[in-house]
Amino acid sequence: MGQIVLEKSRIGPDMLTEQIPEFAVQSELGADIFRRVETPSERRHHYECIATVIRDDDLPRVVAYHDDARKNPERMIAAEARMRQTAALGQGFILADPRSYPVPDTPRMRLEFLLYLDFFRHWQIKTLEIARIKTLIQSGGTLTPPEISRVFRLLLDFNQTTQAQFFISAFMPHLLRMSQEKKDDRWQNAAYALRMIGDLLLRSGQAKPSLNAYEASIALGDNAFRRGLAIRAAFAADDRDATLRHLEQYERQWQLPAALATIKTVISSSDSGEAL
């Protein structure tokens, strides 16, 4: 019997990221919006959550985690709408029964299937890795600083705020001690981990603990990005003094971007902040 030879696929990573810059998956609060991030120098890619679209009385509201999402909220809403309105994406099937697989019926749908299939693979790898590390911690094992920052990177990229609580409880005391003692490795893994803990806490509505994490990260190495996050967390925590303090520190070194300038205007004209 002759062998079937398929024409070489013309579908490459550029086509996926250009034609489908972001896509949605269901999450605890609504729909998480992801994008595929290419790293050509390493011939690899990963996925990161850049926003969550929440529907209040069927009206979409965008909670942005990335500048692209803040600048293009309509694209986040469009991605969530595509997910809801595309029947094939919600079709149940049995992994071991190809007869139940959804069938893409448009060129774009074929691309989306490939994208979701690749995302599924990354999701499974993430799940296995997080489970492995959790078991290691529960059995008394230890992690190196790069391993600690890697697990928080996985949790943040996939927006696993609930799962993150276990790891925050496990590593926060150790990382805070490193911050107090001004001890970090040459790659600033402790500062990086603390910043990501701040992100995860802020996303889960824990503004004050988030601010503590950002300030501990800044103690190990100040930069505009970390200082800006501290301003956002202080403002969300309705901590006027901390917001003004971090704004002052920011302006001593850098020019305020528009979003932080808005916070300054609001906080300077009232006794308390209102989360933007």
Side-chain angles (χ1 to χ4, degrees), residues 217-236:
S217 177
I218 289 170
L220 289 169
D222 197 0
N223 60 41
F225 186 60
R226 293 173 190 167
R227 187 68 68 171
L229 290 169
I231 293 169
R232 291 178 183 276
F235 188 59

mmCIF file of all heavy atoms in Angstrom, residues 217-236:
data_model
loop_
_atom_site.group_PDB
_atom_site.id
_atom_site.type_symbol
_atom_site.label_atom_id
_atom_site.label_comp_id
_atom_site.label_asym_id
_atom_site.label_seq_id
_atom_site.Cartn_x
_atom_site.Cartn_y
_atom_site.Cartn_z
ATOM 1 N N SER A 217 10.337 43.658 46.777
ATOM 2 C CA SER A 217 11.057 43.519 45.514
ATOM 3 C C SER A 217 11.908 44.757 45.232
ATOM 4 O O SER A 217 13.073 44.647 44.830
ATOM 5 C CB SER A 217 10.062 43.288 44.371
ATOM 6 O OG SER A 217 10.718 43.213 43.124
ATOM 7 N N ILE A 218 11.320 45.937 45.465
ATOM 8 C CA ILE A 218 12.047 47.192 45.246
ATOM 9 C C ILE A 218 13.263 47.289 46.162
ATOM 10 O O ILE A 218 14.314 47.812 45.775
ATOM 11 C CB ILE A 218 11.099 48.391 45.474
ATOM 12 C CG1 ILE A 218 10.084 48.471 44.336
ATOM 13 C CG2 ILE A 218 11.878 49.698 45.601
ATOM 14 C CD1 ILE A 218 8.958 49.466 44.571
ATOM 15 N N ALA A 219 13.148 46.765 47.379
ATOM 16 C CA ALA A 219 14.274 46.807 48.321
ATOM 17 C C ALA A 219 15.483 46.055 47.793
ATOM 18 O O ALA A 219 16.630 46.349 48.156
ATOM 19 C CB ALA A 219 13.847 46.222 49.672
ATOM 20 N N LEU A 220 15.250 45.084 46.913
ATOM 21 C CA LEU A 220 16.348 44.316 46.321
ATOM 22 C C LEU A 220 16.839 44.914 45.010
ATOM 23 O O LEU A 220 17.863 44.491 44.471
ATOM 24 C CB LEU A 220 15.906 42.866 46.090
ATOM 25 C CG LEU A 220 15.732 42.022 47.343
ATOM 26 C CD1 LEU A 220 15.036 40.707 47.028
ATOM 27 C CD2 LEU A 220 17.091 41.761 47.999
ATOM 28 N N GLY A 221 16.113 45.873 44.496
ATOM 29 C CA GLY A 221 16.514 46.490 43.234
ATOM 30 C C GLY A 221 15.384 47.321 42.667
ATOM 31 O O GLY A 221 14.362 46.783 42.250
ATOM 32 N N ASP A 222 15.575 48.638 42.661
ATOM 33 C CA ASP A 222 14.521 49.543 42.205
ATOM 34 C C ASP A 222 14.595 49.703 40.693
ATOM 35 O O ASP A 222 15.675 49.772 40.100
ATOM 36 C CB ASP A 222 14.695 50.910 42.877
ATOM 37 C CG ASP A 222 13.442 51.771 42.786
ATOM 38 O OD1 ASP A 222 12.444 51.312 42.211
ATOM 39 O OD2 ASP A 222 13.484 52.907 43.305
ATOM 40 N N ASN A 223 13.423 49.755 40.060
ATOM 41 C CA ASN A 223 13.343 50.147 38.658
ATOM 42 C C ASN A 223 11.951 50.724 38.407
ATOM 43 O O ASN A 223 11.054 50.614 39.244
ATOM 44 C CB ASN A 223 13.675 48.992 37.694
ATOM 45 C CG ASN A 223 12.749 47.805 37.825
ATOM 46 O OD1 ASN A 223 11.539 47.943 37.984
ATOM 47 N ND2 ASN A 223 13.325 46.606 37.751
ATOM 48 N N ALA A 224 11.771 51.330 37.253
ATOM 49 C CA ALA A 224 10.514 52.025 36.966
ATOM 50 C C ALA A 224 9.327 51.067 36.949
ATOM 51 O O ALA A 224 8.226 51.430 37.387
ATOM 52 C CB ALA A 224 10.628 52.757 35.626
ATOM 53 N N PHE A 225 9.541 49.866 36.451
ATOM 54 C CA PHE A 225 8.441 48.917 36.352
ATOM 55 C C PHE A 225 7.943 48.514 37.735
ATOM 56 O O PHE A 225 6.738 48.568 38.020
ATOM 57 C CB PHE A 225 8.894 47.689 35.569
ATOM 58 C CG PHE A 225 7.786 46.703 35.279
ATOM 59 C CD1 PHE A 225 6.674 47.084 34.548
ATOM 60 C CD2 PHE A 225 7.857 45.406 35.756
ATOM 61 C CE1 PHE A 225 5.655 46.184 34.284
ATOM 62 C CE2 PHE A 225 6.846 44.494 35.497
ATOM 63 C CZ PHE A 225 5.739 44.889 34.762
ATOM 64 N N ARG A 226 8.855 48.126 38.625
ATOM 65 C CA ARG A 226 8.458 47.714 39.977
ATOM 66 C C ARG A 226 7.861 48.880 40.757
ATOM 67 O O ARG A 226 6.870 48.708 41.474
ATOM 68 C CB ARG A 226 9.669 47.148 40.727
ATOM 69 C CG ARG A 226 10.198 45.836 40.158
ATOM 70 C CD ARG A 226 11.497 45.422 40.823
ATOM 71 N NE ARG A 226 12.105 44.305 40.115
ATOM 72 C CZ ARG A 226 13.354 43.886 40.298
ATOM 73 N NH1 ARG A 226 14.123 44.497 41.184
ATOM 74 N NH2 ARG A 226 13.832 42.865 39.595
ATOM 75 N N ARG A 227 8.451 50.053 40.595
ATOM 76 C CA ARG A 227 7.934 51.211 41.322
ATOM 77 C C ARG A 227 6.521 51.563 40.830
ATOM 78 O O ARG A 227 5.637 51.915 41.615
ATOM 79 C CB ARG A 227 8.874 52.406 41.136
ATOM 80 C CG ARG A 227 8.521 53.621 41.972
ATOM 81 C CD ARG A 227 8.726 53.428 43.445
ATOM 82 N NE ARG A 227 10.119 53.296 43.834
ATOM 83 C CZ ARG A 227 10.546 53.287 45.100
ATOM 84 N NH1 ARG A 227 9.658 53.377 46.104
ATOM 85 N NH2 ARG A 227 11.825 53.149 45.378
ATOM 86 N N GLY A 228 6.301 51.441 39.530
ATOM 87 C CA GLY A 228 4.971 51.695 38.984
ATOM 88 C C GLY A 228 3.941 50.717 39.514
ATOM 89 O O GLY A 228 2.797 51.090 39.802
ATOM 90 N N LEU A 229 4.330 49.461 39.660
ATOM 91 C CA LEU A 229 3.420 48.462 40.221
ATOM 92 C C LEU A 229 3.092 48.768 41.675
ATOM 93 O O LEU A 229 1.952 48.585 42.119
ATOM 94 C CB LEU A 229 4.048 47.069 40.102
ATOM 95 C CG LEU A 229 4.144 46.506 38.684
ATOM 96 C CD1 LEU A 229 5.021 45.246 38.669
ATOM 97 C CD2 LEU A 229 2.768 46.190 38.110
ATOM 98 N N ALA A 230 4.084 49.249 42.418
ATOM 99 C CA ALA A 230 3.839 49.620 43.817
ATOM 100 C C ALA A 230 2.833 50.767 43.897
ATOM 101 O O ALA A 230 1.970 50.799 44.791
ATOM 102 C CB ALA A 230 5.158 50.006 44.494
ATOM 103 N N ILE A 231 2.925 51.714 42.967
ATOM 104 C CA ILE A 231 1.970 52.823 42.932
ATOM 105 C C ILE A 231 0.561 52.296 42.685
ATOM 106 O O ILE A 231 -0.406 52.676 43.375
ATOM 107 C CB ILE A 231 2.366 53.840 41.839
ATOM 108 C CG1 ILE A 231 3.672 54.540 42.216
ATOM 109 C CG2 ILE A 231 1.248 54.873 41.635
ATOM 110 C CD1 ILE A 231 4.281 55.361 41.096
ATOM 111 N N ARG A 232 0.423 51.395 41.719
ATOM 112 C CA ARG A 232 -0.894 50.829 41.402
ATOM 113 C C ARG A 232 -1.461 50.059 42.603
ATOM 114 O O ARG A 232 -2.650 50.152 42.913
ATOM 115 C CB ARG A 232 -0.788 49.897 40.197
ATOM 116 C CG ARG A 232 -0.498 50.601 38.879
ATOM 117 C CD ARG A 232 -0.369 49.581 37.738
ATOM 118 N NE ARG A 232 -0.022 50.225 36.491
ATOM 119 C CZ ARG A 232 -0.881 50.781 35.650
ATOM 120 N NH1 ARG A 232 -2.176 50.816 35.954
ATOM 121 N NH2 ARG A 232 -0.475 51.334 34.519
ATOM 122 N N ALA A 233 -0.601 49.286 43.273
ATOM 123 C CA ALA A 233 -1.066 48.499 44.419
ATOM 124 C C ALA A 233 -1.467 49.399 45.581
ATOM 125 O O ALA A 233 -2.485 49.174 46.240
ATOM 126 C CB ALA A 233 0.025 47.516 44.851
ATOM 127 N N ALA A 234 -0.663 50.421 45.850
ATOM 128 C CA ALA A 234 -0.988 51.351 46.939
ATOM 129 C C ALA A 234 -2.302 52.071 46.656
ATOM 130 O O ALA A 234 -3.133 52.264 47.553
ATOM 131 C CB ALA A 234 0.152 52.358 47.109
ATOM 132 N N PHE A 235 -2.510 52.460 45.414
ATOM 133 C CA PHE A 235 -3.741 53.134 45.023
ATOM 134 C C PHE A 235 -4.935 52.192 45.171
ATOM 135 O O PHE A 235 -5.982 52.580 45.688
ATOM 136 C CB PHE A 235 -3.596 53.621 43.586
ATOM 137 C CG PHE A 235 -4.724 54.506 43.129
ATOM 138 C CD1 PHE A 235 -5.010 55.691 43.787
ATOM 139 C CD2 PHE A 235 -5.483 54.163 42.023
ATOM 140 C CE1 PHE A 235 -6.040 56.522 43.359
ATOM 141 C CE2 PHE A 235 -6.518 54.987 41.585
ATOM 142 C CZ PHE A 235 -6.800 56.164 42.253
ATOM 143 N N ALA A 236 -4.763 50.939 44.715
ATOM 144 C CA ALA A 236 -5.844 49.953 44.840
ATOM 145 C C ALA A 236 -6.151 49.651 46.301
ATOM 146 O O ALA A 236 -7.289 49.342 46.659
ATOM 147 C CB ALA A 236 -5.464 48.674 44.101
#
